[in-house]
Amino acid sequence: MDVYRLPRHVIPVRYGLRLEPDLKTFAFIGGETVTVTVLEPTTEIVLNAAELEIIEATIENEGNASLRGTIELDETMERCRLTFSDKLRPGTWRLNLAFKGTLNDKLRGFYRSSYKDQAGATHVLAATQFEATDARRAFPCWDEPDFKAVFSTTLVIDSSLTAVSNTAVQSERLEGGKKILRFGDTFRMSTYLVAFVVGTIEATEPVSVGRTPLRVWCVPGKRRLAKFGLEIGAFSLRFFEDYYGLPYPGDKLDLLAIPDFASGAMENLGAITFRETALLVDEQAATHAELERIAGVVAHENAHMWFGDLVTMSWWNGLWLNEAFATFMEMLAVDAWKPEWQRWTTFGVSRAAALSVDGLHSTRPIEFSVTAPREADAMFDVLTYEKGASVLRMLEQYLGPEVFRDGVRDYLRAHAYGNANTGDLWVSLGRVAKQPVPELTDGWIFRPGYPLISVSLDGSVLVIKQQRFTYLPGSTDAKGPPKEVNQRWQVPTQIKITANGKTETRRLLLSEEETQIQVPKEFESVLVNEDGHGFYRVRYAPGLLERLVQLVPDSLAPIERFNLVNDAWAATVAGLMPITEYLDLTARFRADRDKNVWAILIESFHFLHRILAPAERPALEAFVRDRISPLLTELGWTPKPGENDLIRQLRGDLLRALGTIGNDRNVQARAAELYLASRKDQTTFDPNVLPALIAILAHSGHAARYNEFWERFRSAATPQEERRYLYSLAAFQPVELLQQTLAHTIDGEIRTQDAPFIVRLLLMSIYGRVLAWKFVKANWETMDRLYPKNGLRRMCEGVIGLATPELERDVHEFFTSRKVDLGGKTLDQYLEQLHLAVTFREHASAALSNYVGKFLTS
Ligand code: BES
Ligand code: ZN
């Protein structure tokens, strides 16, 4: 039995919670009465607690006088053992606990957050973040997702403050100068979904969505930034009620922007918390990408109110049931809200990120065993979210959207207020689809990796093969299980065949290693993964690839072009396609107007920039200009009337790339002029261009500009503006400036919610990486002490930018000697990605510099 799991002879039913936080001393006192069911006679109750002092424990029931328990705390196991002198008989008991704790600054459990007002005075608020296993830091509890219970919370706060929790306020009274807020009972739910926020905070007027009042909360002065979040909040709530066929399960819904927040947002029932950039925005001043992010986060968390909150995975190994679904539902909702945003096409970028990690030997299956809390935290990754959502999309398209939705409805109804696992979902989907689902899906959920589908033409026969795709040959993971040979998947494919000017689509479920299909006479071309929903890569025999490329851009959909480039790039990194061939291919996309196609092209240019020796960089920069300039010239620097949001975003992305990695002097000079103009008059300016200007100016800037941007970061008017300037501080080239930025990641000037991301950027920067790596090594303990719990994990992703053999050796040496564990397979994945870059550098550098060298003179 797993030592981290609690014994199950005593089960909580209801928590009466009372908490009294003191925002001046950063302390809280708490009391709780937990109604429990004792299932077997026992003298012992074991529950979770961490960083709490438990002062007193008593237990009572109708027939018995109260018994006092002795209390033993085990900090390493995060547990508390209560022992009673008499046996507790089976039945219902009331356990009373008195405890106290501190409002920590680690953005977990019950923690403090602070902000400065306009006059520069600092204010403190208190908030919670419990997922995955930190409710135990706020009150002793059975902190596992399947110990669902009712929560009835009372908060005792300063009379000048406001508080929000999961349900509506039921009563409010003043007593001894304190405000006592009693919140209504929640429905039966998991501990990780409980939340309270206390401070001087303001709400918008409620918007009614059916019977549900919806509000946005923020620190004083920011309500003007709430409108957009409210709109997508209201839309997605309606959308989900309709899709799930179930009313919103709570009694109200508050969306709260918290100045210090570890992740992006958290789906606490009825009290969703966000970092400010993920909720508050000035719509007129934001880029398309920034708005898309907010819409996505809000929709994602709202989707959780059913998927996650109403029905919860039984244990953390099934986290994908929460997160993959919320991610999938987020796309559906945002796509329904703004079809013109083409959300499913942009989802290709997320799918590509999952394909990257899942192409490593150190990947893991979506569902993966979890024991210790650290392992639960490591589950929040691209495999759970993006691979999970991709697999759901593939399944939805295969079964049909209505069948899929009805299966989801069946699943939610069957398990409402309870827990479920993956098998339960297959049962519901199978019931509605009238076909067994596990044969199809298990390979995608319970096994690592995905197939590479290769297509070739043999006379009039199309030969389609599948084999696992990995970047590096063989297994580098000596500890792992032996590599499965001939791993096969059931692959739903959609194949478009063009012959004699006509196209036909064939839907095939590939299950064999090789499948052959006859093609019609006068065959012209074949496209595998039409519409792009499949979670696999495609490799075409050279002749077939050339025929497809002829169709670019007009006769292939954006997602199909995206996949074509993305798969070609992956094949190149894997050594299956010569780098020269890939670079040739990029020329065929010069006129492409899809921002996602460009995102992958630009990402590949960055990768190449990182592995080249400094002397070779100018040639690569010239090559980048050759690829990007024509389209930008055509688009111009200012939007044309009637131009859509995606083109505006594309303009910004191209500009940024041309002015930074393309190092285009003219663009840099023009950007400086325009930036000046924009400072005088922001209104006539397209917001999609401004962040690009900031990035370009940082890239080519010196001390004066650094100081200016530092000030703008400190005095920014919106969370987005603050973020742009903050990130720009990692985008300068002079090392003495980057050294300053590094220093600010541990001196309190940059919030700990942001600092790990800044360090990550610096590790990825060719100008900052050596410096940043030294800094990380020298300040590891400090960072570990300061940053929120996932901070180091996020930060360390930057080591994949340390792509020289010497740095790679040093990285290994550091992590080995420090015995660093980032949870799950995270560190192995970073190291494998680093190794991949170094290997590629060895193999491809010569051909690469030879190729780009030709661009210098022209
Ligand atoms: N449940 C997560 C929040 C979370 C993340 C808790 C990591 C514990 C550890 C939430 O629903 C979520 O997924 N948030 C995302 C944003 C989302 C739009 C992808 C996040 O925080 O990045
Ligand atoms: Zn989520």
Side-chain angles (χ1 to χ4, degrees):
M1 192 43 209
D2 181 350
V3 294
Y4 287 95
R5 301 297 292 271
L6 293 173
R8 310 182 79 85
H9 62 285
V10 178
I11 310 275
V13 176
R14 181 175 205 281
Y15 293 81
L17 258 182
R18 182 185 163 102
L19 286 156
E20 191 171 342
D22 183 337
L23 271 46
K24 294 197 181 65
T25 59
F26 305 148
F28 64 89
I29 51 178
E32 65 184 351
T33 298
V34 191
T35 310
V36 300
T37 307
V38 174
L39 295 174
E40 293 159 23
T42 183
T43 55
E44 195 176 273
I45 294 182
V46 183
L47 67 168
N48 295 112
E51 293 170 17
L52 291 175
E53 185 186 334
I54 302 183
I55 301 156
E56 189 179 62
T58 59
I59 197 163
E60 66 207 13
N61 74 358
E62 301 315 321
N64 293 281
S66 153
L67 293 170
R68 182 173 299 270
T70 54
I71 304 160
E72 273 172 89
L73 280 168
D74 178 345
E75 277 295 336
T76 47
M77 293 307 290
E78 304 180 350
R79 276 181 187 192
C80 154
R81 181 188 304 272
L82 307 172
T83 316
F84 300 94
S85 49
D86 281 346
K87 270 221 157 106
L88 311 174
R89 274 175 291 111
T92 301
W93 294 76
R94 280 186 310 278
L95 173 67
N96 303 301
L97 297 171
F99 52 93
K100 54 186 183 183
T102 46
L103 297 171
N104 70 75
D105 61 356
K106 296 277 285 182
L107 318 190
R108 68 196 298 200
F110 204 3
Y111 71 92
R112 60 185 194 260
S113 169
S114 63
Y115 64 94
K116 286 203 171 76
D117 64 20
Q118 303 271 304
T122 299
H123 300 266
V124 175
L125 57 116
T128 55
Q129 169 58 42
F130 291 167
E131 195 178 18
T133 58
D134 291 325
R136 63 190 68 172
R137 287 166 207 280
F139 57 93
C141 58
W142 280 258
D143 201 10
E144 298 181 7
D146 68 343
F147 281 113
K148 285 197 170 187
V150 171
F151 294 85
S152 162
T153 304
T154 300
L155 294 174
V156 181
I157 61 175
D158 260 22
S159 58
S160 62
L161 302 178
T162 312
V164 175
S165 185
N166 303 94
T167 50
V169 175
Q170 212 176 44
S171 70
E172 174 174 337
R173 62 196 163 85
L174 286 171
E175 201 181 281
K178 291 276 184 174
K179 194 192 275 185
I180 303 183
L181 289 176
R182 212 193 135 148
F183 297 89
D185 284 5
T186 66
F187 60 74
R188 262 188 100 235
M189 65 177 203
S190 309
T191 45
Y192 79 89
L193 295 168
V194 174
F196 356 99
V197 178
V198 179
T200 307
I201 47 176
E202 299 180 347
T204 60
E205 286 301 313
V207 176
S208 294
V209 182
R211 285 182 294 118
T212 312
L214 173 72
R215 287 177 296 188
V216 166
W217 292 81
C218 52
V219 301
K222 296 199 172 172
R223 262 186 303 193
R224 67 193 163 84
L225 305 173
K227 187 168 155 280
F228 185 81
L230 269 179
E231 269 172 40
I232 176 62
F235 177 89
S236 57
L237 206 51
R238 274 190 213 103
F239 178 86
F240 293 135
E241 290 194 325
D242 182 53
Y243 185 94
Y244 296 134
L246 286 172
Y248 169 67
D251 64 349
K252 56 91 183 173
L253 181 55
D254 290 316
L255 312 178
L256 302 111
I258 311 292
D260 297 277
F261 197 79
S263 62
M266 175 65 212
E267 70 269 27
N268 314 299
L269 169 78
I272 303 175
T273 42
F274 296 78
R275 68 166 57 201
E276 288 187 339
T277 47
L279 179 62
L280 303 176
V281 67
D282 173 354
E283 201 178 337
Q284 303 314 318
T287 66
H288 169 74
E290 287 161 350
L291 294 173
E292 185 189 73
R293 162 89 179 144
I294 291 175
V297 180
V298 173
H300 175 107
E301 305 309 333
N302 273 355
H304 272 311
M305 297 298 111
W306 292 260
F307 249 106
D309 294 10
L310 183 65
V311 178
T312 313
M313 73 265 143
S314 304
W315 181 245
W316 300 107
N317 64 336
L319 182 67
W320 83 282
L321 290 169
N322 272 12
E323 297 302 349
F325 256 98
T327 302
F328 170 82
M329 295 304 304
E330 161 195 342
M331 302 305 142
L332 277 190
V334 172
D335 189 46
W337 189 45
K338 304 252 179 189
E340 68 277 18
W341 283 4
Q342 300 285 311
R343 194 58 186 89
W344 279 114
T345 304
T346 303
F347 179 68
V349 177
S350 305
R351 189 190 291 108
L355 289 166
S356 286
V357 174
D358 208 23
L360 304 173
H361 293 288
S362 50
T363 186
R364 62 167 179 86
I366 290 180
E367 190 156 325
F368 190 57
S369 99
V370 171
T371 52
R374 180 197 286 286
E375 309 303 321
D377 293 332
M379 290 292 278
F380 293 84
D381 69 355
V382 74
L383 297 165
T384 295
Y385 282 72
E386 278 77 20
K387 182 181 180 183
S390 303
V391 169
L392 287 173
R393 178 64 166 172
M394 185 163 72
L395 186 60
E396 182 216 34
Q397 294 294 308
Y398 178 73
L399 297 175
E402 277 83 33
V403 170
F404 183 84
R405 183 202 59 203
D406 291 347
V408 168
R409 288 180 176 179
D410 183 89
Y411 168 85
L412 288 175
R413 273 186 188 68
H415 305 284
Y417 308 106
N419 297 84
N421 36 49
T422 299
D424 297 317
L425 179 66
W426 300 162
V427 168
S428 286
L429 286 171
R431 186 145 61 211
V432 175
K434 300 191 177 61
Q435 55 171 294
V437 174
E439 283 81 347
L440 172 66
T441 48
D442 279 354
W444 300 96
I445 303 295
F446 295 108
R447 274 187 281 143
Y450 57 86
L452 172 69
I453 306 291
S454 343
V455 226
S456 57
L457 192 63
D458 184 0
S460 64
V461 175
L462 209 52
V463 182
I464 306 172
K465 293 185 184 163
Q466 62 160 307
Q467 83 193 79
R468 180 165 171 189
F469 175 86
T470 54
Y471 288 99
L472 293 164
S475 174
T476 57
D477 180 11
K479 292 166 285 177
K483 199 178 143 217
E484 211 175 319
V485 278
N486 298 336
Q487 187 177 338
R488 270 189 276 138
W489 287 261
Q490 302 227 356
V491 193
T493 52
Q494 195 170 315
I495 301 176
K496 186 167 87 177
I497 297 175
T498 307
N500 199 11
K502 290 194 287 278
T503 64
E504 57 162 320
T505 293
R506 300 218 196 144
R507 283 166 219 276
L508 293 180
L509 185 65
L510 309 177
S511 51
E512 302 305 319
E513 221 167 285
E514 182 176 315
T515 309
Q516 304 198 341
I517 55 177
Q518 195 70 35
V519 295
K521 287 214 175 59
E522 293 177 60
F523 167 84
E524 289 161 31
S525 68
V526 58
L527 174 76
V528 179
N529 204 5
E530 184 186 15
D531 291 346
H533 303 299
F535 190 78
Y536 52 83
R537 297 192 191 277
V538 186
R539 184 165 183 226
Y540 296 95
L544 295 178
L545 180 61
E546 182 48 35
R547 292 188 210 195
L548 268 185
V549 172
Q550 302 281 343
L551 305 175
V552 169
D554 294 338
S555 298
L556 289 183
I559 187 64
E560 293 160 358
R561 304 197 302 270
F562 174 87
N563 286 342
L564 196 67
V565 177
N566 188 48
D567 290 347
W569 172 238
T572 307
V573 176
L576 300 171
M577 183 188 262
I579 176 73
T580 49
E581 207 174 297
Y582 174 75
L583 295 172
D584 277 342
L585 184 73
T586 62
R588 313 290 280 267
F589 291 84
R590 276 204 193 93
D592 205 297
R593 290 187 173 225
D594 181 67
K595 73 180 176 71
N596 308 297
V597 170
W598 278 103
I600 180 71
L601 289 169
I602 291 169
E603 192 191 308
S604 70
F605 300 161
H606 274 288
F607 183 97
L608 297 175
H609 205 217
R610 276 199 298 275
I611 61 155
L612 270 184
E616 319 265 5
R617 282 178 203 149
L620 183 76
E621 289 160 3
F623 161 80
V624 170
R625 292 197 291 276
D626 174 83
R627 294 300 189 255
I628 300 181
S629 299
L631 183 55
L632 192 64
T633 306
E634 211 167 284
L635 292 177
W637 284 57
T638 40
K640 314 227 159 43
E643 203 176 59
N644 69 36
D645 293 354
L646 301 183
I647 293 290
R648 288 170 186 236
Q649 179 69 52
L650 172 64
R651 173 181 292 109
D653 296 347
L654 293 177
L655 257 178
R656 174 195 295 250
L658 202 50
T660 56
I661 162 173
N663 210 8
D664 187 313
R665 304 289 174 198
N666 295 329
V667 166
Q668 289 164 356
R670 179 104 190 267
E673 280 165 29
L674 270 180
Y675 180 76
L676 264 184
S678 81
R679 295 301 309 170
K680 294 200 185 88
D681 178 13
Q682 294 217 350
T683 50
T684 56
F685 219 75
D686 182 54
N688 289 290
V689 168
L690 187 57
L693 301 184
I694 295 171
I696 295 169
L697 265 63
H699 179 81
S700 48
H702 297 280
R705 193 169 282 150
Y706 183 93
N707 295 335
E708 178 191 347
F709 282 12
W710 175 258
E711 283 314 314
R712 298 215 189 288
F713 155 61
R714 312 243 298 181
S715 60
T718 67
Q720 288 70 30
E721 191 185 11
E722 182 181 328
R723 185 176 179 278
R724 294 171 198 160
Y725 284 110
L726 171 60
Y727 278 43
S728 83
L729 301 174
F732 283 77
Q733 295 182 33
V735 286
E736 64 282 4
L737 301 178
L738 298 180
Q739 195 67 55
Q740 286 182 44
T741 305
L742 281 168
H744 292 318
T745 62
I746 54 169
D747 68 2
E749 295 282 354
I750 297 175
R751 289 181 190 274
T752 60
Q753 65 167 7
D754 299 317
F757 297 98
I758 299 300
V759 181
R760 178 170 77 177
L761 271 178
L762 286 162
L763 285 167
M764 301 283 290
S765 147
I766 53 173
Y767 312 103
R769 62 187 173 191
V770 171
L771 208 64
W773 175 238
K774 267 203 196 113
F775 187 85
V776 166
K777 286 190 292 180
N779 295 287
W780 183 263
E781 272 82 28
T782 309
M783 291 169 158
D784 194 23
R785 183 163 44 79
L786 292 175
Y787 294 173
K789 69 176 169 191
N790 284 323
L792 291 185
R793 184 157 66 90
R794 300 263 152 81
M795 176 182 85
C796 285
E797 191 178 359
V799 303
I800 69 181
L802 302 174
T804 69
E806 303 75 43
L807 284 170
E808 186 194 14
R809 266 196 298 281
D810 196 47
V811 167
H812 271 270
E813 146 67 21
F814 178 78
F815 287 127
T816 317
S817 66
R818 295 291 180 116
K819 298 196 172 57
V820 171
D821 179 4
L822 299 175
K825 299 207 155 209
T826 311
L827 185 56
D828 289 343
Q829 290 165 0
Y830 295 164
L831 294 178
E832 191 178 342
Q833 278 167 293
L834 172 57
H835 189 61
L836 184 55
V838 172
T839 309
F840 183 76
R841 177 199 186 99
E842 273 161 27
H843 294 160
S845 281
L848 173 61
S849 34
N850 186 31
Y851 188 101
V852 295
K854 289 177 280 191
F855 289 82
L856 252 192
T857 43
S858 59

mmCIF file of all heavy atoms in Angstrom, residues 748-770:
data_model
loop_
_atom_site.group_PDB
_atom_site.id
_atom_site.type_symbol
_atom_site.label_atom_id
_atom_site.label_comp_id
_atom_site.label_asym_id
_atom_site.label_seq_id
_atom_site.Cartn_x
_atom_site.Cartn_y
_atom_site.Cartn_z
ATOM 1 N N GLY A 748 13.761 40.665 -4.501
ATOM 2 C CA GLY A 748 12.440 41.144 -4.114
ATOM 3 C C GLY A 748 11.836 42.159 -5.072
ATOM 4 O O GLY A 748 10.673 42.534 -4.932
ATOM 5 N N GLU A 749 12.599 42.582 -6.076
ATOM 6 C CA GLU A 749 12.064 43.590 -7.006
ATOM 7 C C GLU A 749 11.119 42.966 -8.037
ATOM 8 O O GLU A 749 10.226 43.617 -8.545
ATOM 9 C CB GLU A 749 13.207 44.307 -7.731
ATOM 10 C CG GLU A 749 14.114 45.133 -6.836
ATOM 11 C CD GLU A 749 13.469 46.476 -6.459
ATOM 12 O OE1 GLU A 749 12.388 46.792 -6.990
ATOM 13 O OE2 GLU A 749 14.059 47.185 -5.626
ATOM 14 N N ILE A 750 11.369 41.720 -8.377
ATOM 15 C CA ILE A 750 10.489 41.001 -9.298
ATOM 16 C C ILE A 750 9.710 39.985 -8.467
ATOM 17 O O ILE A 750 10.299 39.249 -7.680
ATOM 18 C CB ILE A 750 11.301 40.293 -10.402
ATOM 19 C CG1 ILE A 750 12.045 41.325 -11.262
ATOM 20 C CG2 ILE A 750 10.411 39.415 -11.268
ATOM 21 C CD1 ILE A 750 12.976 40.725 -12.316
ATOM 22 N N ARG A 751 8.420 39.962 -8.614
ATOM 23 C CA ARG A 751 7.612 39.043 -7.824
ATOM 24 C C ARG A 751 8.063 37.593 -8.027
ATOM 25 O O ARG A 751 8.435 37.209 -9.150
ATOM 26 C CB ARG A 751 6.136 39.152 -8.232
ATOM 27 C CG ARG A 751 5.463 40.434 -7.797
ATOM 28 C CD ARG A 751 3.995 40.420 -8.227
ATOM 29 N NE ARG A 751 3.393 41.727 -8.036
ATOM 30 C CZ ARG A 751 2.852 42.130 -6.876
ATOM 31 N NH1 ARG A 751 2.805 41.314 -5.836
ATOM 32 N NH2 ARG A 751 2.339 43.330 -6.779
ATOM 33 N N THR A 752 7.963 36.814 -6.979
ATOM 34 C CA THR A 752 8.403 35.419 -7.090
ATOM 35 C C THR A 752 7.505 34.626 -8.041
ATOM 36 O O THR A 752 7.894 33.575 -8.529
ATOM 37 C CB THR A 752 8.423 34.723 -5.724
ATOM 38 O OG1 THR A 752 7.093 34.755 -5.182
ATOM 39 C CG2 THR A 752 9.380 35.398 -4.771
ATOM 40 N N GLN A 753 6.306 35.132 -8.309
ATOM 41 C CA GLN A 753 5.457 34.453 -9.293
ATOM 42 C C GLN A 753 6.052 34.584 -10.702
ATOM 43 O O GLN A 753 5.768 33.775 -11.573
ATOM 44 C CB GLN A 753 4.037 35.026 -9.286
ATOM 45 C CG GLN A 753 3.976 36.484 -9.741
ATOM 46 C CD GLN A 753 2.562 36.984 -10.038
ATOM 47 O OE1 GLN A 753 1.583 36.288 -9.780
ATOM 48 N NE2 GLN A 753 2.462 38.187 -10.571
ATOM 49 N N ASP A 754 6.868 35.625 -10.922
ATOM 50 C CA ASP A 754 7.420 35.893 -12.257
ATOM 51 C C ASP A 754 8.895 35.526 -12.390
ATOM 52 O O ASP A 754 9.361 35.212 -13.489
ATOM 53 C CB ASP A 754 7.280 37.387 -12.597
ATOM 54 C CG ASP A 754 5.827 37.837 -12.615
ATOM 55 O OD1 ASP A 754 4.994 37.084 -13.158
ATOM 56 O OD2 ASP A 754 5.522 38.914 -12.062
ATOM 57 N N ALA A 755 9.618 35.599 -11.284
ATOM 58 C CA ALA A 755 11.070 35.460 -11.342
ATOM 59 C C ALA A 755 11.530 34.171 -12.042
ATOM 60 O O ALA A 755 12.424 34.227 -12.897
ATOM 61 C CB ALA A 755 11.658 35.559 -9.938
ATOM 62 N N PRO A 756 10.930 33.006 -11.738
ATOM 63 C CA PRO A 756 11.412 31.798 -12.406
ATOM 64 C C PRO A 756 11.304 31.884 -13.926
ATOM 65 O O PRO A 756 12.148 31.347 -14.649
ATOM 66 C CB PRO A 756 10.483 30.697 -11.877
ATOM 67 C CG PRO A 756 9.925 31.233 -10.606
ATOM 68 C CD PRO A 756 9.860 32.717 -10.762
ATOM 69 N N PHE A 757 10.298 32.572 -14.409
ATOM 70 C CA PHE A 757 10.111 32.685 -15.862
ATOM 71 C C PHE A 757 11.149 33.611 -16.484
ATOM 72 O O PHE A 757 11.565 33.414 -17.619
ATOM 73 C CB PHE A 757 8.691 33.168 -16.180
ATOM 74 C CG PHE A 757 7.636 32.204 -15.719
ATOM 75 C CD1 PHE A 757 6.970 32.382 -14.517
ATOM 76 C CD2 PHE A 757 7.339 31.081 -16.478
ATOM 77 C CE1 PHE A 757 6.012 31.471 -14.086
ATOM 78 C CE2 PHE A 757 6.385 30.163 -16.054
ATOM 79 C CZ PHE A 757 5.726 30.359 -14.848
ATOM 80 N N ILE A 758 11.557 34.614 -15.724
ATOM 81 C CA ILE A 758 12.594 35.520 -16.217
ATOM 82 C C ILE A 758 13.937 34.787 -16.282
ATOM 83 O O ILE A 758 14.676 34.892 -17.255
ATOM 84 C CB ILE A 758 12.706 36.762 -15.295
ATOM 85 C CG1 ILE A 758 11.374 37.530 -15.284
ATOM 86 C CG2 ILE A 758 13.854 37.663 -15.726
ATOM 87 C CD1 ILE A 758 10.946 38.014 -16.645
ATOM 88 N N VAL A 759 14.218 34.013 -15.260
ATOM 89 C CA VAL A 759 15.462 33.241 -15.286
ATOM 90 C C VAL A 759 15.433 32.235 -16.433
ATOM 91 O O VAL A 759 16.424 32.047 -17.145
ATOM 92 C CB VAL A 759 15.706 32.513 -13.936
ATOM 93 C CG1 VAL A 759 17.012 31.740 -13.985
ATOM 94 C CG2 VAL A 759 15.701 33.502 -12.781
ATOM 95 N N ARG A 760 14.288 31.632 -16.623
ATOM 96 C CA ARG A 760 14.177 30.681 -17.738
ATOM 97 C C ARG A 760 14.495 31.356 -19.067
ATOM 98 O O ARG A 760 15.232 30.823 -19.897
ATOM 99 C CB ARG A 760 12.766 30.086 -17.790
ATOM 100 C CG ARG A 760 12.601 29.139 -18.958
ATOM 101 C CD ARG A 760 11.334 28.368 -18.913
ATOM 102 N NE ARG A 760 10.195 29.172 -19.317
ATOM 103 C CZ ARG A 760 8.948 28.703 -19.411
ATOM 104 N NH1 ARG A 760 8.686 27.449 -19.082
ATOM 105 N NH2 ARG A 760 7.974 29.471 -19.792
ATOM 106 N N LEU A 761 13.917 32.558 -19.267
ATOM 107 C CA LEU A 761 14.195 33.301 -20.501
ATOM 108 C C LEU A 761 15.680 33.584 -20.662
ATOM 109 O O LEU A 761 16.228 33.477 -21.756
ATOM 110 C CB LEU A 761 13.468 34.651 -20.460
ATOM 111 C CG LEU A 761 12.049 34.720 -20.991
ATOM 112 C CD1 LEU A 761 11.521 36.138 -20.807
ATOM 113 C CD2 LEU A 761 12.045 34.350 -22.470
ATOM 114 N N LEU A 762 16.323 33.959 -19.559
ATOM 115 C CA LEU A 762 17.748 34.283 -19.631
ATOM 116 C C LEU A 762 18.594 33.050 -19.933
ATOM 117 O O LEU A 762 19.601 33.131 -20.626
ATOM 118 C CB LEU A 762 18.191 34.963 -18.339
ATOM 119 C CG LEU A 762 17.693 36.416 -18.231
ATOM 120 C CD1 LEU A 762 17.764 36.921 -16.803
ATOM 121 C CD2 LEU A 762 18.507 37.324 -19.158
ATOM 122 N N LEU A 763 18.160 31.904 -19.421
ATOM 123 C CA LEU A 763 18.875 30.662 -19.733
ATOM 124 C C LEU A 763 18.727 30.320 -21.216
ATOM 125 O O LEU A 763 19.598 29.686 -21.819
ATOM 126 C CB LEU A 763 18.337 29.508 -18.884
ATOM 127 C CG LEU A 763 18.745 29.493 -17.404
ATOM 128 C CD1 LEU A 763 17.883 28.495 -16.634
ATOM 129 C CD2 LEU A 763 20.222 29.132 -17.253
ATOM 130 N N MET A 764 17.630 30.752 -21.801
ATOM 131 C CA MET A 764 17.379 30.471 -23.221
ATOM 132 C C MET A 764 18.005 31.534 -24.133
ATOM 133 O O MET A 764 18.034 31.356 -25.349
ATOM 134 C CB MET A 764 15.870 30.435 -23.507
ATOM 135 C CG MET A 764 15.076 29.407 -22.732
ATOM 136 S SD MET A 764 15.252 27.738 -23.355
ATOM 137 C CE MET A 764 14.385 27.853 -24.907
ATOM 138 N N SER A 765 18.439 32.640 -23.543
ATOM 139 C CA SER A 765 18.993 33.724 -24.353
ATOM 140 C C SER A 765 20.455 33.445 -24.670
ATOM 141 O O SER A 765 21.244 33.139 -23.779
ATOM 142 C CB SER A 765 18.866 35.045 -23.579
ATOM 143 O OG SER A 765 19.947 35.911 -23.885
ATOM 144 N N ILE A 766 20.825 33.575 -25.943
ATOM 145 C CA ILE A 766 22.225 33.305 -26.274
ATOM 146 C C ILE A 766 23.150 34.339 -25.648
ATOM 147 O O ILE A 766 24.329 34.098 -25.472
ATOM 148 C CB ILE A 766 22.454 33.241 -27.801
ATOM 149 C CG1 ILE A 766 21.905 34.489 -28.473
ATOM 150 C CG2 ILE A 766 21.855 31.988 -28.391
ATOM 151 C CD1 ILE A 766 22.260 34.554 -29.939
ATOM 152 N N TYR A 767 22.611 35.497 -25.317
ATOM 153 C CA TYR A 767 23.454 36.525 -24.707
ATOM 154 C C TYR A 767 23.547 36.343 -23.194
ATOM 155 O O TYR A 767 24.507 36.750 -22.570
ATOM 156 C CB TYR A 767 22.907 37.916 -25.026
ATOM 157 C CG TYR A 767 22.605 38.060 -26.497
ATOM 158 C CD1 TYR A 767 21.291 38.003 -26.977
ATOM 159 C CD2 TYR A 767 23.652 38.184 -27.415
ATOM 160 C CE1 TYR A 767 21.027 38.094 -28.336
ATOM 161 C CE2 TYR A 767 23.393 38.269 -28.775
ATOM 162 C CZ TYR A 767 22.075 38.219 -29.235
ATOM 163 O OH TYR A 767 21.828 38.291 -30.575
ATOM 164 N N GLY A 768 22.519 35.732 -22.625
ATOM 165 C CA GLY A 768 22.462 35.665 -21.167
ATOM 166 C C GLY A 768 22.734 34.297 -20.582
ATOM 167 O O GLY A 768 22.915 34.141 -19.384
ATOM 168 N N ARG A 769 22.805 33.266 -21.446
ATOM 169 C CA ARG A 769 22.750 31.916 -20.880
ATOM 170 C C ARG A 769 23.932 31.543 -19.995
ATOM 171 O O ARG A 769 23.738 30.912 -18.945
ATOM 172 C CB ARG A 769 22.523 30.875 -21.975
ATOM 173 C CG ARG A 769 23.608 30.795 -23.023
ATOM 174 C CD ARG A 769 23.181 29.844 -24.141
ATOM 175 N NE ARG A 769 24.136 29.874 -25.237
ATOM 176 C CZ ARG A 769 23.908 29.321 -26.423
ATOM 177 N NH1 ARG A 769 22.779 28.699 -26.660
ATOM 178 N NH2 ARG A 769 24.823 29.375 -27.368
ATOM 179 N N VAL A 770 25.128 31.933 -20.375
ATOM 180 C CA VAL A 770 26.287 31.546 -19.570
ATOM 181 C C VAL A 770 26.204 32.216 -18.196
ATOM 182 O O VAL A 770 26.368 31.587 -17.144
ATOM 183 C CB VAL A 770 27.596 31.939 -20.291
ATOM 184 C CG1 VAL A 770 28.798 31.748 -19.376
ATOM 185 C CG2 VAL A 770 27.749 31.105 -21.568
#
